[in-house]
């Protein structure tokens, strides 16, 4: 696949690195075998890596929502994971995308999306990664394109405005978006 991507002219691979698969069993017990192979192969193919960090391990939430995705009960657990990941792959992962679609409940612990809480996660991630690798690029989570306003989802534009109102501007280098178009072009 990497050879085909390179031959097709692609220069970047967006790869998910799920926290739940790396620190699966308990805190500070890391399983690096698969991520190491993935990073090594992408680097050897001469492609850049956009590492999407998301999906909490079961131990990080009291409500055990697995396989659903949601923020950890303790942001310090996320911070520690991000630090370990950035230390291990400094110079190998150039871009980090922090979480996925936090403006919809199924990606936010089946609870109402919370721009303030996501902004705190983004701030912690940005601060820790930049301490370790000042050249890394931090991308905010791609937001789900929706106009819904409910406990299930918050419009991407409203969520983004709320992120800015909570200080997100200083804690990402690139804005992540999801623009599938559906019935209308992005």
């Amino acid at each position: 696949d990497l050879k085909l991507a390179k031959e097709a002219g692609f220069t970047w691979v967006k790869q998910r690195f799920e926290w739940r698969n790396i620190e699966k069993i308990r805190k500070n017990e890391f399983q690096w075998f698969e991520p190491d192979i993935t990073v090594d192969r992408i680097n050897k193919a001469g492609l850049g890596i956009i590492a999407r960090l998301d999906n909490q391990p079961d131990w990080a939430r009291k409500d055990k929502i697995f396989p659903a995705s949601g923020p950890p009960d303790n942001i310090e657990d996320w911070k520690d994971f991000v630090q370990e990941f950035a230390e291990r792959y400094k110079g190998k992962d150039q871009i980090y995308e922090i979480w996925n679609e936090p403006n919809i409940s199924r990606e936010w612990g089946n609870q109402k999306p919370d721009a303030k809480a996501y902004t705190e996660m983004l701030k912690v991630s940005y601060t820790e990664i930049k301490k370790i690798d000042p050249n890394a690029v931090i991308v905010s989570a791609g937001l789900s394109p929706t106009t819904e306003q409910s406990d299930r989802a918050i419009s991407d534009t409203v969520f983004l405005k709320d992120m800015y109102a909570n200080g997100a501007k200083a804690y990402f280098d690139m804005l992540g978006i999801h623009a599938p178009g559906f019935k209308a072009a992005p």
Side-chain angles (χ1 to χ4, degrees):
D1 291 342
L2 293 170
K3 183 177 182 283
L4 291 171
K6 185 81 170 174
E7 288 172 359
F10 290 97
T11 56
W12 291 91
V13 171
K14 181 177 175 179
Q15 177 65 45
R16 289 177 69 184
F17 291 95
E18 295 179 87
W19 181 20
R20 68 174 53 147
N21 293 330
I22 297 171
E23 200 175 5
K24 186 175 191 167
I25 308 298
R26 66 185 57 83
K27 187 167 176 61
N28 295 321
E29 209 171 283
F30 298 96
Q31 298 175 18
W32 295 113
F33 180 73
E34 188 176 320
D36 283 351
I37 288 172
T38 302
V39 168
D40 183 59
R41 288 181 178 165
I42 294 170
N43 284 169
K44 282 181 178 171
L47 297 164
I49 300 173
I50 302 169
R52 186 175 104 186
L53 305 179
D54 62 7
N55 292 340
Q56 82 296 336
D58 193 40
W59 60 262
R61 289 183 60 99
K62 287 182 227 124
D63 60 8
K64 312 291 185 202
I65 60 167
F66 185 83
S69 184
D73 292 335
N74 181 352
I75 195 70
E76 290 296 313
D77 292 333
W78 172 255
K79 176 182 151 185
D80 294 343
F81 167 70
V82 167
Q83 286 173 330
E84 289 288 332
F85 192 93
E87 282 286 348
R88 188 166 191 92
Y89 299 116
K90 180 181 177 182
K92 295 179 181 177
D93 285 348
Q94 300 91 346
I95 300 177
Y96 296 81
E97 182 178 9
I98 308 304
W99 216 258
N100 181 57
E101 297 183 336
N103 64 317
I104 56 175
S105 64
R106 75 169 181 260
E107 296 283 347
W108 202 249
N110 294 321
Q111 54 195 339
K112 185 175 181 177
D114 183 341
K116 182 177 181 181
Y118 174 69
T119 298
E120 181 60 25
M121 175 183 270
L122 185 62
K123 177 181 178 178
V124 163
S125 303
Y126 181 95
T127 302
E128 296 310 313
I129 293 168
K130 292 288 191 169
K131 277 184 203 172
I132 294 163
D133 187 357
N135 296 319
V137 174
I138 309 304
V139 181
S140 64
L143 300 176
S144 180
T146 181
T147 57
E148 186 173 338
Q149 288 296 118
S150 71
D151 285 351
R152 241 182 11 190
I154 297 176
S155 159
D156 49 339
T157 55
V158 170
F159 194 87
L160 182 59
K161 286 177 185 175
D162 289 346
M163 284 172 56
Y164 269 80
N166 284 287
K169 181 180 179 182
Y171 297 104
F172 63 93
D173 302 309
M174 296 175 75
L175 175 66
I177 62 166
H178 289 167
F182 298 123
K183 293 188 290 183

